[in-house]
Amino acid sequence: MNICRVATLMVLVAFPAMGHAAPRPAAWTFAVSGDSRNCGDVVMPAIAAGVRASGARFYWHLGDLRFIRDFDQDYRQLHPHVTILEYLTDAWIDAQQSQIEPFGDLPFYLGIGNHELLPPKSREEFIVTFADWLNAPAIQAQRLRDDPRDHQVRTYYHWAIDGVDFVNLDNASPEQFDATQLQWLTRLLERDRRDAGVRAVVVGMHEALPDSIAHSHSMDEELIEQSTGRQVYAQLLELRSSKPVYVLASHSHFVMENVFDTPYWRGHGGVLPGWIVGSAGAVRYALPADAAHGRFARAHVYGYLLATVRPPGARDRDPIEFEFREVTAADVPNAVNERFGAALVKQCYEQNVQD
């Protein structure tokens, strides 16, 4: 080999061609909303279409798939003569077919809401019915990494993507958070605090933690929930001192950011970044009287949060940015319009409100 060729090879090794440089990590997105009872069979396919078009890596539902206490309007439209017993037998299967299947192969993470526990429904029946989602591959793999002997499917769980730990909690009934779930969460947050590979934590649940702007319809409604909810808030606030933490909830059927920017939390440790997004089809509520003060807040809308996760190395204190994406009647897929009829679609988008 001549000297010139050796020199050329040495240069190529030391300075590889720019076209072969390793690709820089890219930002990515995920989507969140909750409360799809009442008109969810009409609204959720529109949300699914928007989420899939956005290129999001997954969709996260924060609970309340069906009304259970009575017929959902969309279900009644298609089944005008069924009995309440027939509805209760079919309601969750209907949710799978009409609300989850439109997402296709996009990962769908599922939380539990208070309407999932209205009699005769139960947490045990919910776990059995939705086991394919509660024990999805990412959830199962994460659970076994945490504890190789843990094969129990639960309504609370977590999974991680690119250094972001997503934590789904269960506060769907008054005794929650119970001691077992609190112990699990305490261990998880301590691991996240010590793990340099975890760069942010996103916590989702059905009811907002106590002392938010939506305090009248949240974990403040029960003394046990208020107490355990404040414990969880304090743990998350402590973790926030070392890495970003975000808290998401639904239950209240409107959209609002900065929900923990309240006198209570300003005087009791600090304000966590938090959103309420109960906007996936449920009867829509008016905003609380104190919802103003410069925060984003919308009533009588449907849609979802689209969260953008900046790549590792971003110097921002908050590497995740949230924006609300509204869906309107114009976004309802043609097949859904044909299935339910124009009158029901109009009723869902124009009249499904409670002031």
Side-chain angles (χ1 to χ4, degrees):
M1 184 178 294
N2 62 47
I3 295 176
C4 291
R5 180 173 174 80
V6 171
T8 301
L9 288 173
M10 291 177 64
V11 170
L12 288 174
V13 170
F15 302 99
M18 294 183 62
H20 293 84
R24 298 182 63 184
W28 54 277
T29 60
F30 65 91
V32 187
S33 59
D35 292 273
S36 53
R37 60 181 175 90
N38 303 114
C39 281
D41 288 6
V42 172
V43 176
M44 283 289 283
I47 289 177
V51 171
R52 289 178 65 85
S54 74
R57 291 178 68 164
F58 65 82
Y59 171 78
W60 190 359
H61 191 292
L62 299 177
D64 277 8
L65 291 161
R66 297 280 71 187
F67 192 28
I68 304 301
R69 183 178 290 121
D70 200 348
F71 298 100
D72 302 273
Q73 296 96 297
D74 49 21
Y75 187 90
R76 194 59 157 169
Q77 174 75 9
L78 297 182
H79 309 280
H81 304 299
V82 299
T83 65
I84 191 66
L85 179 59
E86 290 171 323
Y87 161 73
L88 291 172
T89 302
D90 188 47
W92 286 351
I93 302 301
D94 168 77
Q96 291 178 15
Q97 295 172 340
S98 301
Q99 299 185 27
I100 300 179
E101 288 183 8
F103 287 84
D105 59 359
L106 187 74
F108 188 108
Y109 294 95
L110 180 59
I112 184 171
N114 61 300
H115 280 257
E116 272 76 67
L117 299 181
L118 292 176
K121 297 299 186 182
S122 67
R123 190 173 272 105
E124 292 71 24
E125 183 184 351
F126 182 81
I127 290 173
V128 170
T129 304
F130 294 101
D132 286 350
W133 292 272
L134 299 175
N135 198 35
I139 298 170
Q140 182 186 70
Q142 182 66 62
R143 188 178 67 241
L144 293 176
R145 278 195 294 272
D146 295 344
D147 180 356
R149 294 187 177 91
D150 186 2
H151 299 280
Q152 183 177 348
V153 179
R154 302 180 182 87
T155 48
Y156 56 90
Y157 54 85
H158 78 117
W159 75 102
I161 302 176
D162 292 347
V164 181
D165 196 8
F166 296 93
V167 184
N168 184 85
L169 297 181
D170 175 354
N171 61 0
S173 52
E175 81 285 356
Q176 301 297 332
F177 306 109
D178 65 10
T180 303
Q181 185 175 185
L182 284 174
Q183 291 168 4
W184 173 86
L185 179 64
T186 299
R187 291 192 298 269
L188 171 61
L189 297 180
E190 178 57 24
R191 286 198 304 270
D192 283 350
R193 185 187 66 79
R194 298 194 311 264
D195 188 347
V198 174
R199 60 193 188 95
V201 177
V202 183
V203 183
M205 64 200 75
H206 186 63
E207 296 186 4
L209 292 171
D211 307 295
S212 74
I213 294 174
H215 61 87
S216 63
H217 195 58
S218 69
M219 291 188 77
D220 286 290
E221 293 180 281
E222 299 285 346
L223 289 177
I224 294 176
E225 285 190 298
Q226 184 182 65
S227 175
T228 60
R230 286 176 175 174
Q231 290 179 48
V232 168
Y233 189 100
Q235 289 181 303
L236 297 176
L237 194 62
E238 182 179 7
L239 180 61
R240 174 78 179 172
S241 66
S242 60
K243 55 190 64 182
V245 176
Y246 309 85
V247 185
L248 311 176
S250 57
H251 194 49
S252 292
H253 305 162
F254 47 71
V255 183
M256 189 187 305
E257 68 172 342
N258 295 334
V259 296
F260 298 112
D261 186 9
T262 62
Y264 181 88
W265 286 121
R266 288 195 295 271
H268 289 79
V271 174
L272 285 170
W275 282 82
I276 288 175
V277 57
S279 55
V283 57
R284 294 163 294 180
Y285 300 160
L287 293 171
D290 52 351
H293 308 299
R295 63 178 52 83
F296 179 90
R298 296 281 303 279
H300 303 169
V301 293
Y302 299 128
Y304 56 94
L305 290 182
L306 187 68
T308 300
V309 182
R310 298 184 183 92
R315 296 181 180 179
D316 233 322
R317 168 66 177 164
D318 291 315
I320 304 178
E321 181 179 359
F322 296 86
E323 62 173 311
F324 179 66
R325 293 284 183 92
E326 183 177 0
V327 297
T328 68
D331 299 309
V332 176
N334 291 335
V336 176
N337 275 300
E338 293 172 1
R339 184 185 182 200
F340 289 96
L344 190 277
V345 171
K346 181 177 180 180
Q347 189 269 334
C348 284
Y349 275 87
E350 296 183 8
Q351 302 170 31
N352 190 30
V353 297
Q354 174 184 307
D355 291 317

